[in-house]
Structure formats: C-alpha cells, structure tokens
Amino acid sequence: MKVYIVFLSAFTFSFFISYSECIVRLFDQDFEDDTTKIEFGRNRVSGNISSEIGLLTRLTNLWVYDNPVFGTIPTQVGLIKAINQFSLCYDQLNGTIPSEFGKLTSLFKLWLDNNQLSGTIPTEIGLLSDLLVFSVHTNKFQGPIPSQFAQLTMLNYLWVQNTGMSGDIPSEIGKLEALLRLYHFIFILF
C-alpha cells in the first residue's frame, strides 16, 4: 500500500472543502484512493468539510487544525473505518459530534477542541475500546460526561474543560486504570 502525506496549499484545500463534487476526483484520480494521511494546518483557508470525506476509506490520519473551517462535521466520517487519529481543532465548527464516531473502532486519538460544537457528547464514543485521547475542551456542550466512557479502558487523557458540561463525573471513570489526566472545568483532577 502506498502512503501519501498530503500538505495541500490554501487554494487546493479551499477547493477540497468548498466543492464536494471534487473530493472524489482529487483523491481518486491523483492519489488512487491510497491516501492515508491528510494535514491542513494553519493555512488560513475556509470552507465546509465535504460529506464525501467518507469516501477516503483508507485514511488513517486526518489533521485539520487552526483554520477558519466552519459548518458541521459530516456524519460520513463514520465510513472512514481505517482512521486512527482524527483532529479537527482550533477551527470554527459548529453543530454536534456525530454519533457515527462510535463506528470508528480503529480510532485511538480524537481531538475536537477549540470549536463551537454543542449538544451532548454521544454515548457511542464509549464503543471506542482503543481510544487513548479524547479532547473536546473549549466548546459549548451540555450535559454530563457519558457513563459509557467507563468502557474506555485504554483512555489516557480526557479533556472536557471549558465546555459548559454539567453534572457529576461518573464514578466509573475513576476506575479507569490507564487514565493519566482528566481535565474538567478549569481544574486538573489527577
């Protein structure tokens, strides 16, 4: 399998995000659907993330950070079964975290921090048995940390501070032996 590390220019990234009909041509034709890593960091580009991102089924690493990317996270992210690192942080995303993230059983790092995401954290995140990092700090969530997070036995880092979340931390989370840091509200709890 070929591995491509793609650092796209501002023009290309804007084209990729803004025109959903081009994502297939861009990656199937140019990269023969073998693309495994995409990084769009600090390019000062804007647009929505195309729902056709789900067609990149071999993608293992997605890093889209510190850009004026807006809109919602497409539910089609649940089709990227090979993904193990997913980062959409320091952008301007809104809406909710799609429950389809629970289908990404290879995922071990999920960063969605510093956006404008809202709603509740989907309970399906608790299905990600290999998850090591979950970071959603500095968003606009409601409700508690889902009790299903107690199933995340590999979890090392849980960042949920500055989110507006409320309620008690499920006592089961205290039994997660791999958990090294839990950041809740503005305090480091351990």
Side-chain angles (χ1 to χ4, degrees):
M1 176 193 304
K2 298 177 188 174
V3 176
Y4 292 96
I5 299 176
V6 183
F7 296 91
L8 299 177
S9 69
F11 173 77
T12 306
F13 181 59
S14 183
F15 189 74
F16 161 69
I17 287 182
S18 298
Y19 301 98
S20 62
E21 69 274 10
C22 297
I23 188 170
V24 175
R25 192 173 76 234
L26 178 64
F27 288 100
D28 284 350
Q29 179 181 346
D30 294 346
F31 300 105
E32 301 170 1
D33 199 24
D34 284 343
T35 303
T36 61
K37 181 174 181 179
I38 297 174
E39 180 171 346
F40 304 128
R42 297 184 178 119
N43 290 0
R44 291 181 290 173
V45 296
S46 63
N48 293 309
I49 298 173
S50 168
S51 62
E52 293 186 26
I53 194 168
L55 298 174
L56 300 174
T57 58
R58 295 183 185 180
L59 193 63
T60 60
N61 295 281
L62 176 67
W63 296 76
V64 179
Y65 59 91
D66 204 8
N67 289 295
V69 176
F70 53 86
T72 60
I73 300 170
T75 58
Q76 289 81 356
V77 298
L79 300 173
I80 312 172
K81 302 293 185 193
I83 196 91
N84 55 47
Q85 296 187 61
F86 192 100
S87 177
L88 290 172
C89 56
Y90 293 89
D91 295 315
Q92 297 175 15
L93 296 168
N94 58 34
T96 61
I97 297 176
S99 61
E100 286 79 3
F101 271 106
K103 298 176 182 177
L104 303 177
T105 56
S106 296
L107 193 63
F108 62 86
K109 293 182 180 178
L110 178 59
W111 289 276
L112 298 172
D113 45 275
N114 284 283
N115 281 293
Q116 299 168 23
L117 298 170
S118 59
T120 58
I121 304 295
T123 59
E124 290 83 357
I125 298 294
L127 299 172
L128 304 175
S129 59
D130 292 333
L131 196 65
L132 300 173
V133 175
F134 182 77
S135 180
V136 294
H137 68 83
T138 318
N139 277 291
K140 300 177 181 180
F141 295 113
Q142 303 169 351
I145 297 171
S147 61
Q148 289 82 354
F149 273 40
Q151 299 168 23
L152 301 174
T153 58
M154 302 295 292
L155 192 65
N156 294 154
Y157 297 96
L158 177 58
W159 283 289
V160 292
Q161 74 273 20
N162 301 323
T163 59
M165 295 175 70
S166 60
D168 295 332
I169 297 172
S171 60
E172 297 86 359
I173 288 184
K175 298 175 185 173
L176 294 175
E177 294 180 15
L179 192 61
L180 300 173
R181 296 281 186 267
L182 169 60
Y183 297 88
H184 189 265
F185 299 107
I186 58 172
F187 304 105
I188 300 172
L189 297 180
F190 51 88

